[in-house]
Amino acid sequence: MKSLRRSLLALAAGSLTATALLVATPATAFAQDIKPRLIRFGYGLNEQSNQGRAVKLFAEEVQKASGGKMKVRAIGGAALGPDTQMQQALIGGAQEMMVGSTATLVGITKEMALWDTPFLVNNVKEADALLDGPVGQKVMDKLQEKGLVGLVYWENGFRNLTNSKRPVTKLEDMSGIKLRVMQNPVFLDSFKSLGANAVPLPFSELFTALETNAVDGQENPFNTIVSSKFYEVQKYLTVTNHVYSPWIVLVSKKWWDGLSAAEKKVLSDAAKKSRDFERQDTRTEAAQALKDLKAKGMQINELSPAEANRMREKLTRVNAGIAANVGMDLWTDTQSQLAQLRGG
Ligand code: TK8
């Protein structure tokens, strides 16, 4: 009797343990799958920018979703170096994550030049559809063989021209303007073809170059002209909207490959949340920016339709070269998705 009771008790305890195990398994497995991780996340703009705000949100989401185990150390202001240097650090595994321009990736993955195509998209709706759709994914996937993993595209935005020399109201006004461009052959060619004296320079050196008149002008979205205080050193702003620039959130593949599925999911989910937040934030800020920049003393002009067309004419001459570089398949896929978007 005693032994029966004992074995019954043992049985009950056993099944209790079994039940407890069953219930606990998912949570326990999850917890074990997420290890303490420190993620050095570099970016080029300052904390008080659309980029800085979105990195902060990403960091908070990762912290929350990992139960505080994964910590993102956000390092802005290009303190870890310009985009190109951070890309190399990611490839080598010396840094875990970054966000930066797709334009500076062209030397690594030539397909990224697709996003440098002047006037490729007409509005942010087209940009989102293209970037988040199969074309955007295809370009992003190309990074893997180079040691990088792309998670999401953020909005840098439509780029506009500023300079300290004169208002640019017609094509000829570009002539002789020493213009900083991103380190990217398409941008270099585009602005040379407009008659500017285009000089490639990392973003981190741009403010000083403008301040010391080493260059006369630059081109970036309204948001960046505000957050990087370019209005302090640039008098004239011309609304050109000549290209839509994305940013891309990157992970070191070397490091990524060592993560568990649960850890990867934490990062992917947080990246998607940061993307949605960032685009909304950027658009809200951009809608206000012209007023802000005017108040800061910038002289702003739009181009007449005729002049805008002349510029467009010149700029889109680089398109054939881009198509050849990124591959005809990708180019035609892009054009057909755009046609579909515009038709529907
Ligand atoms: C910031 C850059 C910047 C880009 C540029 O690191 O270089 O002009 O527009 O946003 O990526």
Side-chain angles (χ1 to χ4, degrees), residues 199-271:
V199 226
L201 209 65
F203 183 82
S204 49
E205 290 171 28
L206 180 51
F207 187 90
T208 306
L210 293 169
E211 192 178 30
T212 57
N213 292 315
V215 295
D216 307 314
Q218 64 89 41
E219 41 85 55
N220 253 301
F222 295 147
N223 307 68
T224 300
I225 301 169
V226 172
S227 64
S228 291
K229 297 190 161 55
F230 290 158
Y231 54 80
E232 288 182 355
V233 287
Q234 298 278 273
K235 178 78 183 159
Y236 306 104
L237 192 163
T238 309
V239 180
T240 49
N241 289 320
H242 51 272
V243 66
Y244 176 93
S245 265
W247 280 322
I248 186 167
V249 175
L250 298 171
V251 190
S252 158
K253 186 167 188 299
K254 231 182 196 174
W255 180 73
W256 176 261
D257 287 345
L259 297 180
S260 69
E263 290 166 335
K264 286 177 182 168
K265 187 169 162 20
V266 166
L267 296 180
S268 302
D269 289 352

Coordinates of all heavy atoms in Angstrom, one line a residue, residues 199-271:
V199 N 32.3 67.2 -56.8 CA 33.4 66.6 -56.0 C 32.8 65.6 -55.0 O 32.0 65.9 -54.2 CB 34.2 67.6 -55.1 CG1 35.7 67.4 -55.2 CG2 33.7 69.0 -55.4
P200 N 33.3 64.3 -55.1 CA 32.8 63.3 -54.1 C 33.4 63.6 -52.7 O 34.6 63.8 -52.6 CB 33.2 62.0 -54.7 CG 34.1 62.3 -55.8 CD 34.2 63.7 -56.0
L201 N 32.6 63.5 -51.7 CA 33.1 63.7 -50.3 C 32.2 63.0 -49.4 O 31.0 62.9 -49.6 CB 32.9 65.2 -50.1 CG 33.9 66.0 -49.1 CD1 35.3 66.0 -49.6 CD2 33.4 67.4 -48.9
P202 N 32.8 62.4 -48.3 CA 31.9 61.7 -47.3 C 31.0 62.8 -46.6 O 31.4 63.9 -46.4 CB 32.9 61.1 -46.3 CG 34.2 61.4 -46.8 CD 34.2 62.3 -47.9
F203 N 29.8 62.3 -46.2 CA 28.9 63.2 -45.5 C 29.5 63.9 -44.3 O 29.2 65.0 -44.0 CB 27.6 62.5 -45.2 CG 26.6 63.3 -44.6 CD1 25.7 64.1 -45.4 CD2 26.4 63.4 -43.2 CE1 24.8 64.9 -44.8 CE2 25.4 64.2 -42.6 CZ 24.6 65.0 -43.4
S204 N 30.3 63.1 -43.6 CA 30.8 63.6 -42.3 C 31.7 64.8 -42.5 O 32.0 65.5 -41.5 CB 31.6 62.4 -41.6 OG 32.5 61.8 -42.5
E205 N 32.2 65.0 -43.7 CA 33.1 66.1 -43.9 C 32.4 67.3 -44.6 O 33.0 68.3 -44.8 CB 34.3 65.7 -44.9 CG 35.2 64.8 -44.2 CD 36.3 64.2 -45.1 OE1 36.6 64.8 -46.1 OE2 36.7 63.0 -44.9
L206 N 31.1 67.1 -44.8 CA 30.4 68.1 -45.6 C 30.2 69.4 -44.9 O 30.4 70.5 -45.6 CB 29.0 67.5 -46.0 CG 28.1 68.3 -46.9 CD1 28.9 68.9 -48.1 CD2 26.9 67.5 -47.4
F207 N 29.7 69.4 -43.7 CA 29.5 70.7 -43.1 C 30.7 71.6 -43.1 O 30.6 72.8 -43.5 CB 28.9 70.6 -41.6 CG 28.5 71.9 -41.0 CD1 27.2 72.3 -41.2 CD2 29.4 72.7 -40.4 CE1 26.8 73.5 -40.6 CE2 29.0 73.9 -39.8 CZ 27.7 74.3 -40.0
T208 N 31.8 71.1 -42.7 CA 33.1 71.9 -42.6 C 33.5 72.3 -44.0 O 33.9 73.5 -44.2 CB 34.2 71.0 -42.0 OG1 33.7 70.5 -40.8 CG2 35.5 71.8 -41.8
A209 N 33.3 71.4 -45.0 CA 33.6 71.8 -46.4 C 32.8 73.0 -46.9 O 33.2 73.9 -47.6 CB 33.4 70.6 -47.3
L210 N 31.5 73.0 -46.5 CA 30.6 74.1 -46.8 C 31.0 75.4 -46.1 O 31.0 76.5 -46.6 CB 29.1 73.8 -46.5 CG 28.5 72.6 -47.4 CD1 27.2 72.2 -46.7 CD2 28.3 73.0 -48.8
E211 N 31.3 75.2 -44.8 CA 31.6 76.3 -43.9 C 32.9 77.0 -44.4 O 33.0 78.3 -44.3 CB 31.8 75.8 -42.5 CG 31.8 76.9 -41.5 CD 31.9 76.3 -40.1 OE1 32.5 75.2 -39.9 OE2 31.4 77.0 -39.1
T212 N 33.9 76.3 -44.8 CA 35.2 76.8 -45.2 C 35.2 77.2 -46.7 O 36.2 77.5 -47.2 CB 36.3 75.9 -44.9 OG1 36.0 74.6 -45.6 CG2 36.4 75.6 -43.4
N213 N 34.1 77.0 -47.4 CA 34.0 77.2 -48.8 C 34.9 76.3 -49.6 O 35.3 76.7 -50.8 CB 34.2 78.7 -49.2 CG 33.1 79.6 -48.6 OD1 31.9 79.3 -48.8 ND2 33.4 80.7 -48.0
A214 N 35.2 75.2 -49.1 CA 36.0 74.2 -49.9 C 35.1 73.7 -51.0 O 35.5 73.4 -52.1 CB 36.4 73.1 -49.0
V215 N 33.8 73.7 -50.7 CA 32.7 73.5 -51.8 C 31.7 74.5 -51.6 O 31.5 75.1 -50.5 CB 32.1 72.0 -51.7 CG1 33.1 71.0 -52.0 CG2 31.4 71.8 -50.4
D216 N 30.9 74.8 -52.7 CA 29.9 75.8 -52.7 C 28.5 75.3 -52.4 O 27.7 76.0 -51.9 CB 29.8 76.5 -54.1 CG 31.1 77.0 -54.6 OD1 31.8 77.7 -53.8 OD2 31.4 76.8 -55.8
G217 N 28.3 74.0 -52.7 CA 27.0 73.5 -52.5 C 26.9 72.0 -52.3 O 28.0 71.3 -52.3
Q218 N 25.7 71.5 -52.2 CA 25.5 70.1 -51.9 C 24.0 69.8 -52.3 O 23.2 70.7 -52.5 CB 25.8 69.7 -50.4 CG 24.9 70.4 -49.4 CD 23.6 69.7 -49.1 OE1 23.6 68.4 -49.0 NE2 22.5 70.3 -49.0
E219 N 23.6 68.5 -52.2 CA 22.2 68.2 -52.4 C 21.8 67.1 -51.4 O 22.6 66.1 -51.3 CB 22.0 67.8 -53.9 CG 23.0 66.9 -54.6 CD 22.8 65.5 -54.3 OE1 21.7 65.0 -54.6 OE2 23.7 64.8 -53.8
N220 N 20.7 67.3 -50.8 CA 20.2 66.4 -49.8 C 18.7 66.7 -49.5 O 18.2 67.8 -49.9 CB 21.0 66.5 -48.5 CG 21.9 65.4 -48.2 OD1 21.5 64.2 -48.1 ND2 23.2 65.6 -48.1
P221 N 18.0 65.8 -48.9 CA 16.6 66.1 -48.6 C 16.4 67.2 -47.6 O 17.3 67.5 -46.9 CB 16.1 64.7 -48.0 CG 17.0 63.7 -48.5 CD 18.4 64.4 -48.6
F222 N 15.3 67.8 -47.7 CA 15.0 69.0 -46.7 C 15.3 68.6 -45.3 O 15.9 69.4 -44.6 CB 13.5 69.3 -46.8 CG 13.0 69.9 -48.1 CD1 11.7 69.6 -48.5 CD2 13.8 70.7 -48.9 CE1 11.2 70.1 -49.7 CE2 13.3 71.2 -50.1 CZ 12.0 70.9 -50.5
N223 N 15.0 67.4 -44.9 CA 15.2 67.0 -43.5 C 16.6 67.2 -43.1 O 16.9 67.6 -42.0 CB 14.8 65.5 -43.3 CG 13.4 65.2 -43.8 OD1 13.1 65.3 -45.0 ND2 12.4 65.0 -42.8
T224 N 17.5 66.7 -43.9 CA 18.9 66.8 -43.6 C 19.5 68.2 -43.6 O 20.3 68.5 -42.8 CB 19.7 65.9 -44.6 OG1 19.2 64.5 -44.5 CG2 21.2 65.9 -44.3
I225 N 18.9 69.0 -44.5 CA 19.3 70.4 -44.6 C 19.0 71.1 -43.3 O 19.7 71.9 -42.7 CB 18.7 71.1 -45.8 CG1 19.1 70.4 -47.1 CG2 19.0 72.6 -45.8 CD1 18.3 70.8 -48.3
V226 N 17.8 70.7 -42.7 CA 17.4 71.2 -41.4 C 18.3 70.6 -40.3 O 19.0 71.3 -39.5 CB 15.9 70.8 -41.1 CG1 15.6 71.2 -39.6 CG2 15.0 71.6 -42.0
S227 N 18.4 69.2 -40.2 CA 19.0 68.6 -39.0 C 20.5 68.8 -39.0 O 21.1 68.8 -37.9 CB 18.6 67.1 -38.9 OG 19.1 66.4 -40.0
S228 N 21.1 68.9 -40.1 CA 22.6 69.1 -40.2 C 22.9 70.6 -40.2 O 24.1 70.9 -40.4 CB 23.2 68.4 -41.3 OG 23.1 67.0 -41.1
K229 N 21.9 71.4 -40.1 CA 22.1 72.9 -40.0 C 22.9 73.5 -41.2 O 23.6 74.4 -41.1 CB 22.9 73.3 -38.7 CG 22.1 72.9 -37.5 CD 22.8 73.5 -36.3 CE 22.0 73.7 -35.0 NZ 21.4 72.5 -34.5
F230 N 22.6 72.9 -42.4 CA 23.2 73.4 -43.6 C 22.8 74.8 -43.9 O 23.4 75.6 -44.6 CB 23.0 72.5 -44.8 CG 23.7 71.2 -44.7 CD1 23.2 70.1 -45.5 CD2 24.8 71.0 -43.9 CE1 23.9 68.9 -45.4 CE2 25.5 69.8 -43.9 CZ 25.0 68.7 -44.6
Y231 N 21.6 75.2 -43.4 CA 21.1 76.6 -43.6 C 22.0 77.6 -43.0 O 22.0 78.8 -43.3 CB 19.7 76.7 -43.0 CG 19.6 76.3 -41.5 CD1 20.0 77.2 -40.5 CD2 19.1 75.0 -41.2 CE1 19.9 76.8 -39.2 CE2 19.0 74.7 -39.8 CZ 19.5 75.5 -38.8 OH 19.4 75.1 -37.5
E232 N 22.9 77.2 -42.1 CA 23.9 78.2 -41.5 C 25.0 78.5 -42.4 O 25.6 79.6 -42.3 CB 24.5 77.6 -40.2 CG 23.6 77.5 -39.0 CD 24.2 76.9 -37.8 OE1 25.4 76.5 -37.9 OE2 23.6 76.9 -36.7
V233 N 25.2 77.6 -43.4 CA 26.3 77.9 -44.3 C 25.9 77.9 -45.8 O 26.8 77.9 -46.7 CB 27.4 76.8 -44.1 CG1 28.2 77.1 -42.8 CG2 26.9 75.4 -44.0
Q234 N 24.6 77.8 -46.1 CA 24.1 77.8 -47.4 C 22.9 78.8 -47.5 O 22.0 78.8 -46.7 CB 23.5 76.4 -47.8 CG 24.6 75.3 -47.7 CD 25.4 75.2 -49.0 OE1 25.0 74.6 -50.0 NE2 26.5 75.9 -49.0
K235 N 23.0 79.7 -48.5 CA 22.0 80.7 -48.7 C 20.8 80.2 -49.6 O 19.7 80.5 -49.3 CB 22.7 82.0 -49.2 CG 21.7 83.1 -49.5 CD 21.4 83.8 -48.2 CE 20.4 85.0 -48.4 NZ 19.6 85.3 -47.2
Y236 N 21.2 79.5 -50.6 CA 20.2 79.3 -51.7 C 19.7 77.8 -51.7 O 20.6 76.9 -51.7 CB 20.7 79.7 -53.0 CG 21.2 81.1 -53.1 CD1 22.6 81.4 -53.0 CD2 20.3 82.2 -53.0 CE1 23.1 82.7 -53.0 CE2 20.8 83.5 -53.0 CZ 22.2 83.7 -53.0 OH 22.6 85.0 -52.9
L237 N 18.4 77.6 -51.8 CA 17.9 76.3 -51.9 C 17.0 76.2 -53.2 O 16.1 77.1 -53.3 CB 17.1 75.9 -50.7 CG 16.6 74.5 -50.5 CD1 16.2 74.3 -49.0 CD2 15.5 74.0 -51.4
T238 N 17.3 75.3 -54.0 CA 16.5 75.1 -55.2 C 15.7 73.8 -55.1 O 16.4 72.7 -54.9 CB 17.3 75.1 -56.5 OG1 18.2 76.3 -56.5 CG2 16.5 75.1 -57.8
V239 N 14.4 73.9 -55.2 CA 13.6 72.6 -55.1 C 13.7 71.9 -56.5 O 13.2 72.3 -57.5 CB 12.1 73.0 -54.8 CG1 11.3 71.7 -54.7 CG2 12.0 73.8 -53.6
T240 N 14.5 70.8 -56.4 CA 14.8 70.0 -57.7 C 14.2 68.7 -57.6 O 13.8 68.1 -58.6 CB 16.3 69.9 -57.9 OG1 16.9 69.5 -56.7 CG2 16.9 71.2 -58.4
N241 N 14.1 68.1 -56.4 CA 13.5 66.7 -56.2 C 14.1 65.8 -57.2 O 13.4 64.9 -57.8 CB 12.0 66.7 -56.3 CG 11.3 67.4 -55.2 OD1 11.8 67.2 -54.0 ND2 10.3 68.2 -55.4
H242 N 15.4 65.9 -57.5 CA 16.0 65.2 -58.6 C 16.2 63.7 -58.5 O 16.3 63.0 -59.4 CB 17.3 65.8 -59.1 CG 18.3 66.0 -57.9 ND1 18.3 67.1 -57.1 CD2 19.3 65.2 -57.4 CE1 19.2 67.0 -56.2 NE2 19.8 65.9 -56.4
V243 N 16.2 63.2 -57.2 CA 16.2 61.8 -57.0 C 15.7 61.4 -55.6 O 15.9 62.2 -54.7 CB 17.7 61.2 -57.2 CG1 18.6 61.7 -56.2 CG2 17.7 59.7 -57.3
Y244 N 15.1 60.3 -55.5 CA 14.6 59.8 -54.2 C 15.7 58.9 -53.7 O 16.1 57.9 -54.3 CB 13.3 59.0 -54.4 CG 12.9 58.4 -53.1 CD1 12.0 59.1 -52.3 CD2 13.3 57.1 -52.6 CE1 11.5 58.5 -51.0 CE2 12.9 56.6 -51.4 CZ 12.0 57.3 -50.6 OH 11.6 56.8 -49.4
S245 N 16.2 59.3 -52.5 CA 17.3 58.5 -51.9 C 16.8 57.6 -50.7 O 16.1 58.2 -49.8 CB 18.3 59.4 -51.2 OG 19.4 59.6 -52.1
P246 N 17.0 56.3 -50.8 CA 16.7 55.5 -49.6 C 17.9 55.4 -48.6 O 19.0 55.6 -49.1 CB 16.4 54.1 -50.2 CG 16.7 54.2 -51.6 CD 17.4 55.5 -51.9
W247 N 17.6 55.1 -47.4 CA 18.6 54.6 -46.5 C 18.4 53.1 -46.4 O 17.3 52.7 -46.6 CB 18.5 55.3 -45.1 CG 19.1 56.7 -45.0 CD1 20.3 57.1 -45.6 CD2 18.6 57.7 -44.3 NE1 20.5 58.4 -45.3 CE2 19.5 58.8 -44.4 CE3 17.5 57.9 -43.4 CZ2 19.3 60.1 -43.8 CZ3 17.3 59.1 -42.8 CH2 18.2 60.2 -43.0
I248 N 19.4 52.4 -46.0 CA 19.2 51.0 -45.8 C 19.8 50.5 -44.4 O 20.9 51.0 -44.1 CB 19.9 50.2 -47.0 CG1 19.5 48.7 -46.8 CG2 21.4 50.4 -47.1 CD1 19.8 47.9 -48.1
V249 N 19.1 49.7 -43.7 CA 19.5 49.2 -42.4 C 20.3 47.9 -42.7 O 19.8 47.0 -43.2 CB 18.4 49.0 -41.4 CG1 18.9 48.4 -40.1 CG2 17.6 50.3 -41.2
L250 N 21.6 47.9 -42.3 CA 22.5 46.8 -42.6 C 23.0 46.1 -41.3 O 23.1 46.7 -40.3 CB 23.7 47.3 -43.3 CG 23.5 48.0 -44.7 CD1 24.8 48.6 -45.1 CD2 23.0 47.0 -45.7
V251 N 23.2 44.8 -41.5 CA 23.8 43.9 -40.4 C 25.0 43.3 -41.0 O 25.0 42.9 -42.2 CB 22.8 42.9 -40.0 CG1 23.3 42.2 -38.7 CG2 21.4 43.4 -39.7
S252 N 26.0 43.1 -40.1 CA 27.2 42.3 -40.5 C 26.7 40.9 -40.7 O 26.2 40.3 -39.8 CB 28.2 42.4 -39.4 OG 29.1 41.3 -39.4
K253 N 27.0 40.3 -41.9 CA 26.6 38.9 -42.1 C 27.4 37.9 -41.3 O 26.8 37.0 -40.8 CB 26.8 38.6 -43.6 CG 26.2 37.2 -44.0 CD 26.0 37.0 -45.4 CE 25.3 35.7 -45.7 NZ 25.9 34.5 -45.2
K254 N 28.6 38.3 -41.0 CA 29.4 37.4 -40.2 C 28.8 37.2 -38.8 O 28.8 36.2 -38.3 CB 30.8 38.1 -40.0 CG 32.0 37.3 -40.3 CD 33.3 38.0 -40.0 CE 34.4 37.3 -40.7 NZ 35.7 38.1 -40.6
W255 N 28.3 38.3 -38.3 CA 27.6 38.3 -37.0 C 26.2 37.7 -37.1 O 25.8 36.9 -36.2 CB 27.6 39.8 -36.4 CG 27.0 39.9 -35.1 CD1 27.5 39.5 -33.9 CD2 25.7 40.5 -34.8 NE1 26.7 39.8 -32.9 CE2 25.5 40.4 -33.4 CE3 24.7 41.0 -35.6 CZ2 24.4 40.9 -32.8 CZ3 23.5 41.5 -34.9 CH2 23.4 41.4 -33.5
W256 N 25.5 38.1 -38.1 CA 24.1 37.7 -38.3 C 24.1 36.1 -38.3 O 23.2 35.5 -37.8 CB 23.6 38.3 -39.6 CG 22.2 37.9 -40.0 CD1 22.0 36.9 -41.0 CD2 21.0 38.4 -39.6 NE1 20.6 36.8 -41.2 CE2 20.0 37.7 -40.4 CE3 20.6 39.3 -38.7 CZ2 18.6 38.0 -40.2 CZ3 19.2 39.6 -38.5 CH2 18.3 38.9 -39.3
D257 N 25.0 35.5 -39.0 CA 25.0 34.1 -39.2 C 25.2 33.3 -37.9 O 24.8 32.2 -37.8 CB 26.1 33.7 -40.2 CG 25.8 34.0 -41.6 OD1 24.6 34.3 -41.9 OD2 26.7 34.0 -42.5
G258 N 25.7 34.0 -36.9 CA 25.8 33.4 -35.6 C 24.6 33.6 -34.7 O 24.6 33.1 -33.5
L259 N 23.6 34.2 -35.1 CA 22.4 34.5 -34.3 C 21.4 33.4 -34.4 O 21.4 32.7 -35.4 CB 21.7 35.8 -34.8 CG 22.5 37.1 -34.6 CD1 21.6 38.3 -35.1 CD2 22.9 37.4 -33.2
S260 N 20.6 33.2 -33.4 CA 19.6 32.2 -33.4 C 18.4 32.7 -34.2 O 18.3 34.0 -34.4 CB 19.1 31.9 -32.0 OG 18.4 33.0 -31.4
A261 N 17.5 31.9 -34.6 CA 16.3 32.3 -35.3 C 15.5 33.3 -34.5 O 15.0 34.3 -35.0 CB 15.4 31.1 -35.6
A262 N 15.4 33.1 -33.2 CA 14.7 34.1 -32.3 C 15.4 35.4 -32.3 O 14.7 36.5 -32.3 CB 14.6 33.5 -30.9
E263 N 16.7 35.4 -32.2 CA 17.4 36.7 -32.2 C 17.2 37.5 -33.6 O 17.0 38.7 -33.6 CB 18.9 36.5 -32.0 CG 19.1 36.1 -30.5 CD 20.5 35.5 -30.3 OE1 21.1 35.0 -31.3 OE2 21.0 35.5 -29.1
K264 N 17.3 36.7 -34.6 CA 17.1 37.3 -36.0 C 15.7 37.9 -36.1 O 15.5 39.0 -36.7 CB 17.3 36.3 -37.1 CG 18.7 35.9 -37.3 CD 18.8 34.8 -38.3 CE 20.3 34.4 -38.5 NZ 20.5 33.2 -39.3
K265 N 14.7 37.2 -35.5 CA 13.3 37.7 -35.6 C 13.2 39.0 -34.8 O 12.5 39.9 -35.2 CB 12.4 36.6 -35.0 CG 10.9 37.0 -35.2 CD 10.0 35.8 -35.0 CE 8.5 36.2 -34.7 NZ 8.0 37.5 -35.1
V266 N 13.8 39.1 -33.6 CA 13.8 40.3 -32.8 C 14.3 41.5 -33.7 O 13.7 42.5 -33.8 CB 14.7 40.2 -31.5 CG1 14.9 41.6 -30.9 CG2 14.0 39.2 -30.5
L267 N 15.4 41.3 -34.4 CA 16.0 42.4 -35.2 C 15.1 42.7 -36.4 O 14.9 43.9 -36.7 CB 17.4 42.0 -35.6 CG 18.4 41.8 -34.5 CD1 19.8 41.4 -35.1 CD2 18.6 43.1 -33.7
S268 N 14.6 41.7 -37.1 CA 13.8 41.9 -38.3 C 12.5 42.6 -37.9 O 12.1 43.6 -38.6 CB 13.4 40.6 -39.0 OG 14.6 39.9 -39.3
D269 N 11.9 42.2 -36.8 CA 10.6 42.8 -36.4 C 10.8 44.3 -36.0 O 10.1 45.2 -36.4 CB 10.0 42.1 -35.2 CG 9.4 40.7 -35.7 OD1 9.4 40.5 -36.9 OD2 9.0 39.9 -34.8
A270 N 11.9 44.5 -35.2 CA 12.2 45.9 -34.8 C 12.5 46.8 -36.0 O 12.2 47.9 -36.1 CB 13.3 45.9 -33.8
A271 N 13.2 46.2 -37.0 CA 13.6 46.9 -38.2 C 12.3 47.4 -38.9 O 12.3 48.5 -39.4 CB 14.5 46.1 -39.1

